[in-house]
Structure formats: structure tokens, C-alpha cells
Amino acid sequence: MAEMIQPAMVPKVKLYTGEEIPCVGMGTFGSDRFTPEQVSNAVAGAIRCGYRMFDCAACYGNEDQIGEVFHAAFEEGVVERKDLFIMTKVWNDMHERVEESCRKSIQDLQCDYIDLFFIHWPFPNYHAPGCDVDSRNPDSRPFSVEEFMNTYRQCEELVRKGLIRHIGISNMTIPKMEAVLPLMEIMPSACESEMHVCFQQKEIFDYLTEHKIQPIGFMPLGSPQRPERDKCPEDVADLQTPEMQEIAKAHGCHPALIALKWAHQRGQIPIPFSVHEAEYVSNLKAMIEDPLTEEEMQKIATLERNNRLVKGQVFLWEGAKDWHDLWDEEGKIVTL
């Protein structure tokens, strides 16, 4: 039996709606390295050790197995549905059929409703999971406010129908948010973005917090085990920087736990993933003990290296220069 951390001890963050949710979640993207069974087994262990937030996605290919775990936990009385905060996402090929995607995830996850439903990417540029970074879909096109809002309106309708409780956006830029936020009837509760110590995205972090949108940081450890196809020579290994090593030594722990403490104390929700019990238990415990000092937080703030690891090359459209066009780095939405 894994060590149990009482969920009540895990700090909470408050959404703009007033709802309080856990300050850390468990990711479930492992399809590049682990079987759906390995991922769902980790979810089962995580529930029993005290996790109450899980970040899923239709394109991860494991929601039906995770649903079996949720169902068993409910049936056995380990946890009630109302005690879990379940997140999932509509994939790029379902932007025109959002309710169908949502209902399929609810069916697969066996969870009755979704707590937070994200638009996974802000455009419908589809690629098959696991494809090479050089893959391109000839139907890909730049971001469109009209297309995005059509998808978002469908999410708003899901809130009204009671299928989802909160809407999320993901992989957004400030120019894109500036264009769409004024058009929304129901504001997003959270935004998932790549955020880790060598890619802190301070401008987006500050923008989200100013607009009362909760930042959720994926790849919070700098994804040292990401697929080889996603690695570039210029990438920085966050956890191997001398500063992270030094702080970890001072705390007598692995640098991964320092990265998670930093994320939590900064104000974002990290969603680390591991199939190893010792690791996911340690990740949760890191939220409730031995915080970083202000001096250590300031030292980590100096580690920004603009080290984007999810570059998104597979979503590029014909005529785009390179992956930088996806991220509106000049302060305006890049179109054809």
C-alpha cells in the first residue's frame, strides 16, 4: 500500500468562480513510452495515495483504461466522483464536433461529467498521434478567430447542458487571447501552457493571472524523458542546471521536487506524470512540506532560457516559415 497523503492537506488554488481545486495534478500523457495499462495503474495508485486532480486527453489513447480505474475507485468507496477534479481535452480533429468528443470522453472516463474541458490546440490542424516531427497535414491552416470561437461556443453550450463545469484553453499566445477573450460569454477558468524553470513564460503567466485565468503548467520537470523526435541540440536540461542541483542538495531531494515546489509557490498548477509509485508519492508530498525560501525562488527566476520543448512543428501550414510562426513571437497573430 502506497503512503497516503490526506487530500485535505494538499494546498488549494481558487478559480475565478470561487471553487477551490488541488494545487497539483497527475498527468496521463505517457503513450510514447508506456502502455495504457501502465498509465491507468499509476492513476489507480495515485488516487489511493491522495491525488484528486487528473489531466487526461482524448488523443492520449488511454481514457477508457483510466475510466475503468475511476469506476473501480467509485465502486469500492475509495473516493466519490465529487472529490475528483477530472480534466480532458477536445483534439484537433473534433473542433466541429465538440459535444461528441466530450460525451465520448465522459463515457470512456466513466465520470458522468467533466470538471475542466480544454481546447487542446487553438486550431484544427490534425496529425496522428506519434507521427514524426517532419509530418505535415496539407489541410493545416493558421489560427482563425472565427474558427476558434465556433469551437469555444460549443464548449459554452456544454457548460449550459451540465456536461462540463469549466472551460479551458491551451497552448495559447497573448495575441490570440487578446483577440478571443472579449468575444466569450463564459470565461475560461484555466489555461494549460508549457511552463518549467528554463521556460517560465512570465509574460503569459502574468497575463493569465491578471485575467483571473489559472495557469496550469505541463512538462513541469522539463520533460527529460520526452521522445527523441522532440529533442533538439539547443534544448536545456532544466534539472541539470547547477542552480537546481545546488538547491536540491540543500533540501536533500531530487531536483524534480524543487521544480514542482517552484511551480506551486509561483502560482501555477503543475501536472507531473510518473508510473513509479515512489515518484508520484514524492511529487505530491513536495506540495506540503519543506518549501523553498524566497532567495531560492529568486535564484530559480534567473534560470529562464526561452527553452521551449513543445515546438509544434507538426501543426504548421503551407507557407509558414517554421515553428516560431505558431507562437506569435512578434506580438501579433501570424497568418498566411
Side-chain angles (χ1 to χ4, degrees):
M1 176 64 185
E3 181 178 357
M4 175 67 181
I5 294 94
Q6 289 298 328
M9 295 177 61
V10 178
K12 304 293 188 291
V13 300
K14 186 178 288 189
L15 301 178
Y16 80 82
T17 61
E19 180 173 357
E20 293 188 332
I21 64 175
C23 72
V24 64
M26 186 178 195
T28 61
F29 174 57
S31 53
D32 54 324
R33 289 171 286 135
F34 303 105
T35 66
E37 289 73 23
Q38 287 176 298
V39 176
S40 61
N41 286 340
V43 170
I47 291 173
R48 285 160 175 77
C49 86
Y51 280 85
R52 292 296 179 262
M53 174 186 282
F54 294 91
D55 180 65
C56 308
C59 76
Y60 296 169
N62 54 23
E63 286 194 330
D64 51 347
Q65 287 88 351
I66 292 171
E68 292 293 334
V69 167
F70 287 157
H71 178 72
F74 301 149
E75 287 290 300
E76 295 166 21
V78 177
V79 69
E80 295 182 49
R81 171 64 187 94
K82 66 180 178 62
D83 298 322
L84 291 187
F85 195 85
I86 298 174
M87 308 186 290
T88 190
K89 311 173 187 75
V90 57
W91 187 234
N92 299 2
D93 58 342
M94 297 296 284
H95 278 206
E96 296 288 337
R97 296 177 289 160
V98 176
E99 182 170 336
E100 180 184 342
S101 171
C102 179
R103 289 186 181 276
K104 178 69 162 57
S105 285
I106 290 173
Q107 178 183 354
D108 286 346
L109 292 169
Q110 301 191 47
C111 61
D112 297 331
Y113 60 89
I114 300 299
D115 292 285
L116 179 51
F117 191 63
F118 291 93
I119 299 173
H120 205 149
W121 285 86
F123 31 64
N125 301 349
Y126 173 77
H127 75 82
C131 72
D132 187 85
V133 293
D134 294 324
S135 296
R136 297 289 183 271
N137 185 329
D139 296 327
S140 293
R141 49 191 183 270
F143 176 81
S144 158
V145 171
E146 182 180 356
E147 284 186 335
F148 180 87
M149 286 308 303
N150 175 59
T151 302
Y152 197 88
R153 292 275 180 251
Q154 294 173 68
C155 293
E156 291 176 325
E157 189 60 28
L158 296 182
V159 175
R160 298 185 184 103
K161 290 183 175 182
L163 293 173
I164 68 177
R165 299 180 59 243
H166 302 272
I167 304 172
I169 53 179
S170 183
N171 294 301
M172 290 289 276
T173 65
I174 290 175
K176 289 182 176 72
M177 288 188 282
E178 289 276 83
V180 299
L181 289 182
L183 306 177
M184 296 172 176
E185 297 172 13
I186 301 174
M187 295 301 290
S189 294
C191 178
E192 278 200 16
S193 304
E194 179 183 341
M195 289 182 179
H196 42 94
V197 295
C198 292
F199 191 58
Q200 300 183 17
Q201 296 225 72
K202 186 177 188 304
E203 285 189 15
I204 282 185
F205 179 89
D206 290 345
Y207 183 90
L208 292 172
T209 54
E210 287 166 9
H211 288 78
K212 297 181 171 58
I213 302 171
Q214 173 61 44
I216 299 179
F218 64 80
M219 301 176 83
L221 310 182
S223 194
Q225 294 184 317
R226 65 190 181 283
E228 285 297 323
R229 68 174 186 269
D230 292 336
K231 295 182 179 179
C232 296
E234 66 272 19
D235 292 346
V236 179
D238 298 40
L239 305 185
Q240 295 178 21
T241 59
E243 294 86 350
M244 291 295 285
Q245 295 280 327
E246 177 189 347
I247 296 171
K249 186 176 181 181
H251 286 259
C253 69
H254 193 281
L257 302 184
I258 301 302
L260 296 178
K261 291 175 188 291
W262 166 80
H264 163 51
Q265 291 178 225
R266 185 195 194 203
Q268 68 208 43
I269 296 176
I271 44 174
F273 167 71
S274 176
V275 297
H276 304 294
E277 182 181 289
E279 292 179 354
Y280 59 71
V281 170
S282 295
N283 291 346
L284 188 58
K285 284 184 69 176
M287 300 295 101
I288 63 174
E289 61 186 22
D290 193 23
L292 302 180
T293 66
E294 185 58 38
E295 181 184 12
E296 290 167 336
M297 289 294 291
Q298 291 174 1
K299 183 175 289 188
I300 293 174
T302 70
L303 296 182
E304 173 60 61
R305 300 290 185 271
N306 197 29
N307 184 42
R308 185 186 293 279
L309 302 176
V310 176
K311 298 176 175 66
Q313 300 98 318
V314 293
F315 301 119
L316 288 171
W317 55 89
E318 187 175 348
K321 294 193 297 293
D322 58 29
W323 61 264
H324 293 278
D325 281 356
L326 293 166
W327 302 106
D328 307 332
E329 293 173 351
E330 300 301 318
K332 61 181 181 180
I333 298 172
V334 177
T335 57
L336 288 174

